[in-house]
Amino acid sequence: MRQLCRYHRYRLTAGAMAWKAQGRLKWQLFQELAGVLGLHAEQLSASAAQLSDADIEIQIEARKTAKANRNFAEADNIRAALKEQGIELIDKPGGNTEWLRS
């Protein structure tokens, strides 16, 4: 019984490793085919990767304050700065703002 368990554990581990290897090969093939069409995988910008969720929320609150004070130029500047860093703001009804990393 113990040998049977070891055999199946080995098979499962080997199967998982083979599955990961197949995934890598599929991804490489996909990248090559996309390259033929002129498409390339995008890397996450360093600034977006470094900007924490808390920092983004602080900027969103500053933008809300600027809008409340009718300083729309400042609100637009904050939106543009976040967009340059790979953050897309989505204004929702009720004054709520959601964001996505792009």
Side-chain angles (χ1 to χ4, degrees):
M1 183 68 166
R2 187 176 286 174
Q3 289 177 343
L4 184 61
C5 288
R6 285 183 189 160
Y7 172 76
H8 284 293
R9 189 177 323 139
Y10 168 76
R11 295 277 299 169
L12 289 174
T13 304
M17 292 174 66
W19 184 77
K20 287 180 184 179
Q22 285 178 343
R24 277 190 229 110
L25 290 174
K26 287 178 184 177
W27 177 248
Q28 288 173 348
L29 176 63
F30 177 75
Q31 286 181 319
E32 289 175 20
L33 292 173
V36 170
L37 298 173
L39 304 173
H40 303 286
E42 294 181 8
Q43 298 295 325
L44 182 62
S45 67
S47 59
Q50 294 175 356
L51 200 58
S52 72
D53 293 357
D55 291 336
I56 295 167
E57 293 296 333
I58 289 169
Q59 291 296 317
I60 289 173
E61 287 302 316
R63 182 172 173 265
K64 282 183 185 179
T65 302
K67 287 171 66 175
N69 293 332
R70 303 188 56 78
N71 188 351
F72 298 111
E74 179 64 21
D76 290 342
N77 289 340
I78 293 170
R79 177 188 282 275
L82 288 171
K83 186 170 183 118
E84 285 178 10
Q85 296 178 27
I87 307 300
E88 181 182 347
L89 298 181
I90 303 164
D91 291 326
K92 298 285 186 170
N96 296 326
T97 302
E98 295 179 2
W99 58 272
L100 300 170
R101 293 186 195 271
S102 54

